[in-house]
């Protein structure tokens, strides 16, 4: 099969090569990949800033895929040839709380990913792709949509009338706007540019704050929430901005610490955290059971993924460069 191989860190070391197609072992599915979508994680892996000591070389990168089962290993019972499936990042986390070593079984590093014509997925970690979505659309779900879903529903317990803040207009945040709006929440979005804010409001956000022209964006959020702050804040920016997130969240409110766009460490002011009694929870996507529940919700609410651009298989590097520049929603690579 043809596959993109990351031979070393850096986009120049991502090369298209012929490589053997794996045979599905007991319990495994051989999936003909229809499309993959890129997450910030995929770029961070190529850049060598995401758990670099765990990245095997060469690596078939990219975790999030949708495709069709073309062969099954012995004993497979959940799927059959012809079924359309999604990969699920934490391939062994099926339900309940995470085990201690879930990151060791993630697609796109350390396990081989989907930027190839074929991919092996264990039947326990595969998820039925939504019937009403193309492979390009379904490929956007495994990390971006599911992280937003788990943060809002399983952790945030968001109900109609609650307020939610999402940061920026990348993959996770756009899904969070769509899902939270469908749950009846009031969504405030931040962005570096006003055109993105307008587009985010068309998706359901009720207010936007430009964090470039308002570096003190948390004060704008307080003005928009009667001085109280939001019930739940999805923090994808990380770094020292976490202090601003605490200020923008209501007393005894919740922060889902999802990302690290501005930094993987933070200098945290403990007194505001203590006085505001904020709960900060690290989020690492979700178990497969949440994926199944989310797909039913997406279907019921007719939510369609927002795709900024679909690239061809040959244009994989351009897709990574697009993500680097910033995308509104998702960047997808069509394989088949
Ligand atoms: N823990 C998890 O389970 C999990 C899951 C998914 C993602 N993540 C992490 O979450 C982060 C976002 O991931 P993604 O895939 O959604 O990224 P993405 O699609 O690349 O989104 C990036 C967008 O974030 C916005 N942004 C950048 N810097 C910002 C800042 N300082 N404040 C507010 N917004 C900012 C920008 O939007 P504008 O152009 O509109 O400003 C940018 O386009 C990454 O760190 C990623 O690794 C974690």
């Amino acid at each position: 099969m043809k596959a993109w191989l990351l031979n070393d860190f850096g986009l120049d070391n991502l090369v298209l090569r012929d490589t053997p197609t794996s045979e599905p072992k007991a319990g495994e599915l051989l999936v003909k990949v229809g499309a993959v979508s890129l997450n910030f994680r995929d770029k961070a892996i190529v850049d060598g800033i995401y758990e670099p000591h765990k990245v095997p070389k060469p690596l078939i990168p990219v975790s999030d895929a949708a495709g069709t089962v073309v062969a099954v290993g012995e004993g497979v019972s959940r799927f059959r040839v012809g079924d359309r499936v999604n990969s699920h990042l934490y391939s062994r986390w099926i339900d309940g709380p995470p085990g201690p070593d879930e990151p060791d079984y993630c697609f796109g590093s350390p396990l081989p990913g989907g930027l190839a014509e074929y991919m092996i997925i264990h039947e326990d970690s595969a998820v039925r792709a939504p019937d009403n979505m193309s492979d390009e659309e379904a490929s956007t779900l495994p990390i971006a949509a599911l992280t937003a879903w788990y943060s809002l529903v399983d952790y945030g317990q968001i109900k109609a009338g609650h307020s939610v803040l999402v940061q920026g207009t990348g993959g996770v945040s756009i899904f969070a706007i769509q899902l939270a709006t469908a749950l009846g929440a009031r969504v405030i979005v931040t962005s570096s540019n006003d055109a993105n804010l307008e587009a985010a409001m068309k998706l359901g956000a009720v207010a936007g704050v430009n964090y470039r022209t308002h570096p003190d964006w948390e004060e704008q959020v307080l003005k928009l929430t009667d001085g109280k702050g939001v019930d739940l804040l999805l923090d994808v920016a990380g770094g020292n901005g976490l202090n601003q997130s605490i200020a923008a969240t209501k007393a005894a409110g919740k922060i889902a610490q999802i990302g690290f766009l501005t930094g993987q460490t933070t200098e945290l002011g403990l007194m505001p955290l203590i006085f505001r009694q904020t709960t900060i929870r690290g989020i690492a996507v979700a178990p497969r059971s949440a994926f199944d529940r989310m797909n039913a919700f997406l279907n019921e609410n007719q939510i369609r993924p927002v795709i900024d651009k679909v690239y061809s298989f040959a244009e994989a590097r351009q897709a990574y460069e697009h993500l680097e520049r910033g995308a509104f929603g998702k960047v997808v690579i069509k394989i088949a």
Side-chain angles (χ1 to χ4, degrees):
M1 67 174 180
K2 294 221 174 299
W4 284 90
L5 298 180
L6 184 68
N7 287 320
D8 204 347
F9 296 125
L11 200 50
D12 290 344
N13 296 311
L14 184 64
V15 290
L16 188 58
R17 290 280 182 271
D18 286 314
T19 186
T21 309
S22 299
E23 293 283 322
K25 300 194 193 77
E28 291 181 341
L29 315 174
L30 179 67
V31 175
K32 184 168 171 48
V33 183
V36 295
S37 77
L38 294 184
N39 290 283
F40 186 81
R41 173 182 188 269
D42 300 310
K43 200 182 88 55
I45 286 168
V46 169
D47 292 344
I49 58 160
Y50 189 100
E51 302 286 88
H53 53 289
K54 289 193 176 169
V55 179
K57 296 184 199 94
L59 167 76
I60 300 177
V62 185
S63 60
D64 289 8
T68 304
V69 178
V70 290
V72 297
E74 208 185 310
V76 165
S77 60
R78 292 187 70 232
F79 295 96
R80 59 174 74 165
V81 170
D83 285 347
R84 286 180 61 245
V85 292
N86 264 128
S87 60
H88 166 55
L89 178 73
Y90 285 98
S91 69
R92 295 201 179 179
W93 187 15
I94 306 299
D95 198 11
D101 55 357
E102 306 295 359
D104 292 343
Y105 302 97
C106 283
F107 290 114
S109 181
L111 303 183
L115 195 50
E117 289 175 311
Y118 296 91
M119 177 184 190
I120 293 285
I121 304 178
H122 194 281
E123 66 162 340
D124 290 343
S125 77
V127 171
R128 198 166 293 280
D131 289 337
N132 64 340
M133 289 190 194
S134 64
D135 283 348
E136 290 93 309
E137 289 177 310
S139 76
T140 65
L141 303 176
I143 291 188
L146 188 54
T147 300
W149 169 267
Y150 196 66
S151 302
L152 292 163
V153 176
D154 293 73
Y155 168 58
Q157 305 277 305
I158 285 301
K159 303 274 181 311
H162 284 165
S163 54
V164 175
L165 183 128
V166 307
Q167 296 181 319
T169 56
V172 174
S173 299
I174 292 293
F175 272 119
I177 293 170
Q178 294 175 290
L179 291 166
T181 301
L183 290 163
R186 288 184 76 243
V187 182
I188 301 172
V189 54
T190 66
S191 175
S192 58
N193 79 74
D194 291 342
N196 283 0
L197 290 177
E198 268 176 45
M201 290 206 262
K202 288 197 181 119
L203 292 171
V206 296
V209 179
N210 185 319
Y211 64 83
R212 286 255 186 277
T213 54
H214 292 95
D216 53 355
W217 54 268
E218 72 281 15
E219 288 175 17
Q220 304 301 316
V221 175
L222 290 174
K223 281 186 197 155
L224 290 163
T225 53
D226 298 327
K228 293 189 177 121
V230 292
D231 292 285
L232 173 69
L233 189 147
L234 273 58
D235 192 318
V236 296
N240 288 344
L242 181 55
N243 295 292
Q244 291 171 275
S245 293
I246 291 168
T249 304
K250 77 172 188 191
K254 293 180 177 176
I255 295 176
Q257 189 57 53
I258 295 169
F260 48 88
L261 290 167
T262 67
Q264 294 180 354
T265 58
T266 185
E267 195 169 316
L268 187 61
L270 290 178
M271 298 321 283
L273 172 69
I274 291 167
F275 288 136
R276 288 182 84 76
Q277 303 191 44
T278 316
T279 302
I280 305 174
R281 155 94 190 256
I283 297 288
V285 194
R288 196 203 77 205
S289 58
F291 204 156
D292 293 325
R293 283 184 280 118
M294 176 186 76
N295 280 356
F297 183 88
L298 291 173
N299 201 22
E300 272 161 36
N301 290 276
Q302 312 237 329
I303 295 174
R304 299 208 86 90
V306 175
I307 296 176
D308 192 324
K309 186 159 178 181
V310 179
Y311 288 85
S312 69
F313 190 40
E315 296 170 321
R317 282 156 152 211
Q318 286 95 313
Y320 276 86
E321 284 161 0
H322 186 152
L323 195 72
E324 169 89 46
R325 291 192 299 275
F328 185 86
K330 297 296 294 176
V331 174
V332 168
I333 301 169
K334 190 174 164 64
I335 312 275

